[in-house]
PDB file of all heavy atoms in Angstrom:
ATOM      1  N   LEU A1086       0.795  -1.203  -0.004  1.00 95.00           N
ATOM      2  CA  LEU A1086       0.036   0.027   0.018  1.00 95.00           C
ATOM      3  C   LEU A1086       0.825   1.265  -0.037  1.00 95.00           C
ATOM      4  O   LEU A1086       0.281   2.338   0.034  1.00 95.00           O
ATOM      5  CB  LEU A1086      -0.932  -0.018   1.230  1.00 95.00           C
ATOM      6  CG  LEU A1086      -1.957  -1.070   1.274  1.00 95.00           C
ATOM      7  CD1 LEU A1086      -2.762  -1.075   2.568  1.00 95.00           C
ATOM      8  CD2 LEU A1086      -2.948  -1.055   0.063  1.00 95.00           C
ATOM      9  N   ASP A1087       2.097   1.140  -0.087  1.00 95.00           N
ATOM     10  CA  ASP A1087       2.989   2.344  -0.061  1.00 95.00           C
ATOM     11  C   ASP A1087       2.565   3.242  -1.195  1.00 95.00           C
ATOM     12  O   ASP A1087       2.642   2.786  -2.410  1.00 95.00           O
ATOM     13  CB  ASP A1087       4.445   1.896  -0.204  1.00 95.00           C
ATOM     14  CG  ASP A1087       5.475   3.042  -0.063  1.00 95.00           C
ATOM     15  OD1 ASP A1087       5.275   4.088  -0.660  1.00 95.00           O
ATOM     16  OD2 ASP A1087       6.434   2.864   0.703  1.00 95.00           O
ATOM     17  N   PRO A1088       2.204   4.469  -1.027  1.00 92.00           N
ATOM     18  CA  PRO A1088       1.700   5.304  -2.158  1.00 92.00           C
ATOM     19  C   PRO A1088       2.739   5.557  -3.207  1.00 92.00           C
ATOM     20  O   PRO A1088       2.403   5.750  -4.377  1.00 92.00           O
ATOM     21  CB  PRO A1088       1.331   6.587  -1.419  1.00 92.00           C
ATOM     22  CG  PRO A1088       2.023   6.556  -0.142  1.00 92.00           C
ATOM     23  CD  PRO A1088       2.177   5.187   0.305  1.00 92.00           C
ATOM     24  N   ARG A1089       4.034   5.570  -2.874  1.00 93.00           N
ATOM     25  CA  ARG A1089       5.057   5.817  -3.885  1.00 93.00           C
ATOM     26  C   ARG A1089       5.129   4.651  -4.836  1.00 93.00           C
ATOM     27  O   ARG A1089       5.305   4.756  -6.122  1.00 93.00           O
ATOM     28  CB  ARG A1089       6.379   6.007  -3.243  1.00 93.00           C
ATOM     29  CG  ARG A1089       6.463   7.228  -2.279  1.00 93.00           C
ATOM     30  CD  ARG A1089       7.782   7.123  -1.419  1.00 93.00           C
ATOM     31  NE  ARG A1089       7.800   5.902  -0.611  1.00 93.00           N
ATOM     32  CZ  ARG A1089       8.898   5.410  -0.014  1.00 93.00           C
ATOM     33  NH1 ARG A1089       9.978   6.147  -0.068  1.00 93.00           N
ATOM     34  NH2 ARG A1089       8.850   4.300   0.700  1.00 93.00           N
ATOM     35  N   ILE A1090       4.940   3.375  -4.328  1.00 95.00           N
ATOM     36  CA  ILE A1090       5.030   2.230  -5.138  1.00 95.00           C
ATOM     37  C   ILE A1090       3.714   2.111  -6.048  1.00 95.00           C
ATOM     38  O   ILE A1090       3.739   1.714  -7.153  1.00 95.00           O
ATOM     39  CB  ILE A1090       5.183   0.971  -4.278  1.00 95.00           C
ATOM     40  CG1 ILE A1090       6.573   1.040  -3.618  1.00 95.00           C
ATOM     41  CG2 ILE A1090       5.086  -0.304  -5.099  1.00 95.00           C
ATOM     42  CD1 ILE A1090       6.788  -0.015  -2.532  1.00 95.00           C
ATOM     43  N   ARG A1091       2.620   2.510  -5.449  1.00 94.00           N
ATOM     44  CA  ARG A1091       1.395   2.441  -6.152  1.00 94.00           C
ATOM     45  C   ARG A1091       1.411   3.511  -7.292  1.00 94.00           C
ATOM     46  O   ARG A1091       0.897   3.218  -8.381  1.00 94.00           O
ATOM     47  CB  ARG A1091       0.156   2.656  -5.264  1.00 94.00           C
ATOM     48  CG  ARG A1091       0.042   1.616  -4.166  1.00 94.00           C
ATOM     49  CD  ARG A1091      -1.224   1.785  -3.255  1.00 94.00           C
ATOM     50  NE  ARG A1091      -2.403   1.527  -4.049  1.00 94.00           N
ATOM     51  CZ  ARG A1091      -2.862   0.271  -4.235  1.00 94.00           C
ATOM     52  NH1 ARG A1091      -2.187  -0.826  -3.808  1.00 94.00           N
ATOM     53  NH2 ARG A1091      -3.980   0.060  -4.915  1.00 94.00           N
ATOM     54  N   GLN A1092       1.931   4.663  -7.049  1.00 92.00           N
ATOM     55  CA  GLN A1092       2.070   5.612  -8.120  1.00 92.00           C
ATOM     56  C   GLN A1092       3.009   5.140  -9.245  1.00 92.00           C
ATOM     57  O   GLN A1092       2.748   5.345 -10.450  1.00 92.00           O
ATOM     58  CB  GLN A1092       2.633   6.977  -7.523  1.00 92.00           C
ATOM     59  CG  GLN A1092       1.649   7.753  -6.658  1.00 92.00           C
ATOM     60  CD  GLN A1092       0.608   8.486  -7.451  1.00 92.00           C
ATOM     61  OE1 GLN A1092      -0.359   7.828  -7.925  1.00 92.00           O
ATOM     62  NE2 GLN A1092       0.743   9.754  -7.610  1.00 92.00           N
ATOM     63  N   SER A1093       4.071   4.433  -8.846  1.00 94.00           N
ATOM     64  CA  SER A1093       4.979   3.912  -9.823  1.00 94.00           C
ATOM     65  C   SER A1093       4.229   2.902 -10.676  1.00 94.00           C
ATOM     66  O   SER A1093       4.465   2.877 -11.947  1.00 94.00           O
ATOM     67  CB  SER A1093       6.175   3.244  -9.143  1.00 94.00           C
ATOM     68  OG  SER A1093       6.898   4.172  -8.315  1.00 94.00           O
ATOM     69  N   LEU A1094       3.421   2.049 -10.079  1.00 95.00           N
ATOM     70  CA  LEU A1094       2.693   1.043 -10.880  1.00 95.00           C
ATOM     71  C   LEU A1094       1.788   1.659 -11.835  1.00 95.00           C
ATOM     72  O   LEU A1094       1.531   1.247 -12.997  1.00 95.00           O
ATOM     73  CB  LEU A1094       2.028   0.053  -9.908  1.00 95.00           C
ATOM     74  CG  LEU A1094       2.888  -0.914  -9.115  1.00 95.00           C
ATOM     75  CD1 LEU A1094       2.123  -1.558  -8.061  1.00 95.00           C
ATOM     76  CD2 LEU A1094       3.560  -1.952 -10.049  1.00 95.00           C
ATOM     77  N   ILE A1095       1.038   2.729 -11.377  1.00 92.00           N
ATOM     78  CA  ILE A1095       0.115   3.421 -12.273  1.00 92.00           C
ATOM     79  C   ILE A1095       0.888   4.030 -13.414  1.00 92.00           C
ATOM     80  O   ILE A1095       0.395   3.911 -14.617  1.00 92.00           O
ATOM     81  CB  ILE A1095      -0.615   4.562 -11.473  1.00 92.00           C
ATOM     82  CG1 ILE A1095      -1.591   3.916 -10.417  1.00 92.00           C
ATOM     83  CG2 ILE A1095      -1.477   5.380 -12.414  1.00 92.00           C
ATOM     84  CD1 ILE A1095      -2.187   4.935  -9.489  1.00 92.00           C
ATOM     85  N   PHE A1096       2.043   4.539 -13.209  1.00 92.00           N
ATOM     86  CA  PHE A1096       2.835   5.134 -14.300  1.00 92.00           C
ATOM     87  C   PHE A1096       3.298   4.108 -15.216  1.00 92.00           C
ATOM     88  O   PHE A1096       3.273   4.317 -16.443  1.00 92.00           O
ATOM     89  CB  PHE A1096       3.995   5.975 -13.608  1.00 92.00           C
ATOM     90  CG  PHE A1096       4.664   6.896 -14.645  1.00 92.00           C
ATOM     91  CD1 PHE A1096       3.975   8.033 -15.093  1.00 92.00           C
ATOM     92  CD2 PHE A1096       5.896   6.657 -15.067  1.00 92.00           C
ATOM     93  CE1 PHE A1096       4.623   8.891 -16.014  1.00 92.00           C
ATOM     94  CE2 PHE A1096       6.564   7.500 -16.028  1.00 92.00           C
ATOM     95  CZ  PHE A1096       5.907   8.555 -16.433  1.00 92.00           C
ATOM     96  N   LEU A1097       3.733   2.999 -14.707  1.00 94.00           N
ATOM     97  CA  LEU A1097       4.170   1.908 -15.547  1.00 94.00           C
ATOM     98  C   LEU A1097       3.088   1.442 -16.490  1.00 94.00           C
ATOM     99  O   LEU A1097       3.194   1.181 -17.672  1.00 94.00           O
ATOM    100  CB  LEU A1097       4.720   0.717 -14.690  1.00 94.00           C
ATOM    101  CG  LEU A1097       6.092   0.940 -14.138  1.00 94.00           C
ATOM    102  CD1 LEU A1097       6.380  -0.323 -13.200  1.00 94.00           C
ATOM    103  CD2 LEU A1097       7.147   0.943 -15.194  1.00 94.00           C
ATOM    104  N   ALA A1098       1.842   1.229 -15.866  1.00 92.00           N
ATOM    105  CA  ALA A1098       0.704   0.814 -16.655  1.00 92.00           C
ATOM    106  C   ALA A1098       0.280   1.779 -17.750  1.00 92.00           C
ATOM    107  O   ALA A1098      -0.113   1.385 -18.798  1.00 92.00           O
ATOM    108  CB  ALA A1098      -0.477   0.470 -15.677  1.00 92.00           C
ATOM    109  N   ALA A1099       0.429   3.049 -17.427  1.00 90.00           N
ATOM    110  CA  ALA A1099       0.023   4.108 -18.315  1.00 90.00           C
ATOM    111  C   ALA A1099       0.988   4.282 -19.480  1.00 90.00           C
ATOM    112  O   ALA A1099       0.662   4.859 -20.532  1.00 90.00           O
ATOM    113  CB  ALA A1099      -0.245   5.374 -17.614  1.00 90.00           C
ATOM    114  N   THR A1100       2.257   3.933 -19.305  1.00 90.00           N
ATOM    115  CA  THR A1100       3.297   4.184 -20.355  1.00 90.00           C
ATOM    116  C   THR A1100       3.784   2.984 -21.033  1.00 90.00           C
ATOM    117  O   THR A1100       4.511   3.139 -22.107  1.00 90.00           O
ATOM    118  CB  THR A1100       4.484   4.893 -19.639  1.00 90.00           C
ATOM    119  OG1 THR A1100       4.998   4.036 -18.568  1.00 90.00           O
ATOM    120  CG2 THR A1100       4.135   6.259 -19.060  1.00 90.00           C
ATOM    121  N   ARG A1101       3.432   1.782 -20.649  1.00 87.00           N
ATOM    122  CA  ARG A1101       4.112   0.595 -21.136  1.00 87.00           C
ATOM    123  C   ARG A1101       3.798   0.451 -22.663  1.00 87.00           C
ATOM    124  O   ARG A1101       4.539  -0.274 -23.397  1.00 87.00           O
ATOM    125  CB  ARG A1101       3.628  -0.686 -20.412  1.00 87.00           C
ATOM    126  CG  ARG A1101       2.192  -0.916 -20.459  1.00 87.00           C
ATOM    127  CD  ARG A1101       1.883  -2.101 -19.587  1.00 87.00           C
ATOM    128  NE  ARG A1101       0.449  -2.123 -19.242  1.00 87.00           N
ATOM    129  CZ  ARG A1101      -0.158  -3.029 -18.414  1.00 87.00           C
ATOM    130  NH1 ARG A1101       0.590  -3.990 -17.834  1.00 87.00           N
ATOM    131  NH2 ARG A1101      -1.488  -3.119 -18.240  1.00 87.00           N
ATOM    132  N   ALA A1102       2.743   0.979 -23.163  1.00 86.00           N
ATOM    133  CA  ALA A1102       2.379   0.786 -24.608  1.00 86.00           C
ATOM    134  C   ALA A1102       3.150   1.655 -25.501  1.00 86.00           C
ATOM    135  O   ALA A1102       3.345   1.298 -26.685  1.00 86.00           O
ATOM    136  CB  ALA A1102       0.906   1.089 -24.796  1.00 86.00           C
ATOM    137  N   PHE A1103       3.786   2.726 -24.962  1.00 86.00           N
ATOM    138  CA  PHE A1103       4.495   3.614 -25.864  1.00 86.00           C
ATOM    139  C   PHE A1103       5.873   3.993 -25.365  1.00 86.00           C
ATOM    140  O   PHE A1103       6.706   4.656 -26.142  1.00 86.00           O
ATOM    141  CB  PHE A1103       3.718   4.921 -26.153  1.00 86.00           C
ATOM    142  CG  PHE A1103       3.479   5.681 -24.914  1.00 86.00           C
ATOM    143  CD1 PHE A1103       4.340   6.662 -24.464  1.00 86.00           C
ATOM    144  CD2 PHE A1103       2.330   5.551 -24.136  1.00 86.00           C
ATOM    145  CE1 PHE A1103       4.158   7.443 -23.353  1.00 86.00           C
ATOM    146  CE2 PHE A1103       2.098   6.279 -22.983  1.00 86.00           C
ATOM    147  CZ  PHE A1103       2.921   7.241 -22.598  1.00 86.00           C
ATOM    148  N   PHE A1104       6.232   3.717 -24.083  1.00 87.00           N
ATOM    149  CA  PHE A1104       7.516   4.081 -23.589  1.00 87.00           C
ATOM    150  C   PHE A1104       8.011   2.968 -22.643  1.00 87.00           C
ATOM    151  O   PHE A1104       7.502   2.910 -21.507  1.00 87.00           O
ATOM    152  CB  PHE A1104       7.508   5.440 -22.923  1.00 87.00           C
ATOM    153  CG  PHE A1104       8.855   5.942 -22.368  1.00 87.00           C
ATOM    154  CD1 PHE A1104       9.749   6.427 -23.311  1.00 87.00           C
ATOM    155  CD2 PHE A1104       9.167   5.883 -21.075  1.00 87.00           C
ATOM    156  CE1 PHE A1104      11.020   6.854 -22.856  1.00 87.00           C
ATOM    157  CE2 PHE A1104      10.400   6.283 -20.625  1.00 87.00           C
ATOM    158  CZ  PHE A1104      11.302   6.826 -21.492  1.00 87.00           C
ATOM    159  N   PRO A1105       8.935   2.155 -22.990  1.00 89.00           N
ATOM    160  CA  PRO A1105       9.492   1.111 -22.134  1.00 89.00           C
ATOM    161  C   PRO A1105      10.345   1.663 -20.990  1.00 89.00           C
ATOM    162  O   PRO A1105      11.480   2.039 -21.243  1.00 89.00           O
ATOM    163  CB  PRO A1105      10.227   0.219 -23.024  1.00 89.00           C
ATOM    164  CG  PRO A1105      10.678   1.054 -24.159  1.00 89.00           C
ATOM    165  CD  PRO A1105       9.592   2.168 -24.343  1.00 89.00           C
ATOM    166  N   ILE A1106       9.781   1.645 -19.736  1.00 93.00           N
ATOM    167  CA  ILE A1106      10.527   2.082 -18.627  1.00 93.00           C
ATOM    168  C   ILE A1106      11.277   0.957 -18.029  1.00 93.00           C
ATOM    169  O   ILE A1106      10.720  -0.204 -17.841  1.00 93.00           O
ATOM    170  CB  ILE A1106       9.524   2.651 -17.541  1.00 93.00           C
ATOM    171  CG1 ILE A1106       9.003   3.972 -18.093  1.00 93.00           C
ATOM    172  CG2 ILE A1106      10.292   2.901 -16.185  1.00 93.00           C
ATOM    173  CD1 ILE A1106       7.918   4.653 -17.172  1.00 93.00           C
ATOM    174  N   GLU A1107      12.545   1.210 -17.697  1.00 95.00           N
ATOM    175  CA  GLU A1107      13.420   0.141 -17.161  1.00 95.00           C
ATOM    176  C   GLU A1107      13.525   0.208 -15.641  1.00 95.00           C
ATOM    177  O   GLU A1107      13.635  -0.822 -14.988  1.00 95.00           O
ATOM    178  CB  GLU A1107      14.820   0.295 -17.709  1.00 95.00           C
ATOM    179  CG  GLU A1107      14.860   0.178 -19.307  1.00 95.00           C
ATOM    180  CD  GLU A1107      16.235   0.599 -19.862  1.00 95.00           C
ATOM    181  OE1 GLU A1107      17.103   1.026 -19.126  1.00 95.00           O
ATOM    182  OE2 GLU A1107      16.341   0.521 -21.092  1.00 95.00           O
ATOM    183  N   ARG A1108      13.410   1.417 -15.044  1.00 95.00           N
ATOM    184  CA  ARG A1108      13.586   1.561 -13.703  1.00 95.00           C
ATOM    185  C   ARG A1108      12.840   2.775 -13.182  1.00 95.00           C
ATOM    186  O   ARG A1108      12.787   3.866 -13.819  1.00 95.00           O
ATOM    187  CB  ARG A1108      15.083   1.651 -13.326  1.00 95.00           C
ATOM    188  CG  ARG A1108      15.468   1.718 -11.857  1.00 95.00           C
ATOM    189  CD  ARG A1108      16.951   1.833 -11.653  1.00 95.00           C
ATOM    190  NE  ARG A1108      17.277   1.768 -10.327  1.00 95.00           N
ATOM    191  CZ  ARG A1108      17.307   2.691  -9.372  1.00 95.00           C
ATOM    192  NH1 ARG A1108      16.887   3.973  -9.759  1.00 95.00           N
ATOM    193  NH2 ARG A1108      17.718   2.529  -8.155  1.00 95.00           N
ATOM    194  N   ILE A1109      12.257   2.701 -11.964  1.00 95.00           N
ATOM    195  CA  ILE A1109      11.686   3.865 -11.292  1.00 95.00           C
ATOM    196  C   ILE A1109      12.261   3.867  -9.865  1.00 95.00           C
ATOM    197  O   ILE A1109      12.229   2.890  -9.216  1.00 95.00           O
ATOM    198  CB  ILE A1109      10.105   3.700 -11.147  1.00 95.00           C
ATOM    199  CG1 ILE A1109       9.544   3.896 -12.569  1.00 95.00           C
ATOM    200  CG2 ILE A1109       9.623   4.873 -10.326  1.00 95.00           C
ATOM    201  CD1 ILE A1109       8.041   3.718 -12.576  1.00 95.00           C
ATOM    202  N   GLY A1110      12.841   4.993  -9.526  1.00 95.00           N
ATOM    203  CA  GLY A1110      13.402   5.194  -8.172  1.00 95.00           C
ATOM    204  C   GLY A1110      12.969   6.580  -7.621  1.00 95.00           C
ATOM    205  O   GLY A1110      12.060   7.194  -8.149  1.00 95.00           O
ATOM    206  N   ILE A1111      13.571   6.967  -6.569  1.00 92.00           N
ATOM    207  CA  ILE A1111      13.298   8.265  -5.906  1.00 92.00           C
ATOM    208  C   ILE A1111      14.259   9.297  -6.373  1.00 92.00           C
ATOM    209  O   ILE A1111      15.490   9.072  -6.326  1.00 92.00           O
ATOM    210  CB  ILE A1111      13.273   8.090  -4.395  1.00 92.00           C
ATOM    211  CG1 ILE A1111      12.189   7.077  -3.917  1.00 92.00           C
ATOM    212  CG2 ILE A1111      13.030   9.548  -3.769  1.00 92.00           C
ATOM    213  CD1 ILE A1111      10.806   7.543  -4.290  1.00 92.00           C
ATOM    214  N   GLY A1112      13.824  10.402  -6.895  1.00 86.00           N
ATOM    215  CA  GLY A1112      14.675  11.478  -7.377  1.00 86.00           C
ATOM    216  C   GLY A1112      14.789  12.552  -6.298  1.00 86.00           C
ATOM    217  O   GLY A1112      14.457  12.366  -5.129  1.00 86.00           O
ATOM    218  N   GLU A1113      15.200  13.736  -6.729  1.00 81.00           N
ATOM    219  CA  GLU A1113      15.296  14.897  -5.855  1.00 81.00           C
ATOM    220  C   GLU A1113      13.918  15.366  -5.383  1.00 81.00           C
ATOM    221  O   GLU A1113      12.909  15.275  -6.108  1.00 81.00           O
ATOM    222  CB  GLU A1113      15.951  16.033  -6.604  1.00 81.00           C
ATOM    223  CG  GLU A1113      17.411  15.740  -7.016  1.00 81.00           C
ATOM    224  CD  GLU A1113      18.049  16.921  -7.665  1.00 81.00           C
ATOM    225  OE1 GLU A1113      17.451  18.043  -7.702  1.00 81.00           O
ATOM    226  OE2 GLU A1113      19.235  16.796  -8.078  1.00 81.00           O
ATOM    227  N   GLY A1114      13.914  15.767  -4.076  1.00 77.00           N
ATOM    228  CA  GLY A1114      12.643  16.210  -3.511  1.00 77.00           C
ATOM    229  C   GLY A1114      11.571  15.175  -3.363  1.00 77.00           C
ATOM    230  O   GLY A1114      10.411  15.414  -3.416  1.00 77.00           O
TER     231      GLY A1114
END
């Protein structure tokens, strides 16, 4: 239920058809 992980999953699902993401981590701020 970690919101950061859930946001990452939503972003992966929304972009997988047109932009292959290899990694999601924590950036600045």
Side-chain angles (χ1 to χ4, degrees):
L1086 297 176
D1087 188 311
R1089 301 167 301 168
I1090 295 171
R1091 298 184 71 81
Q1092 290 284 77
S1093 299
L1094 289 169
I1095 293 172
F1096 194 70
L1097 283 174
T1100 58
R1101 60 184 167 186
F1103 62 89
F1104 184 74
I1106 292 176
E1107 300 167 0
R1108 186 182 186 276
I1109 295 181
I1111 299 297
E1113 295 181 3

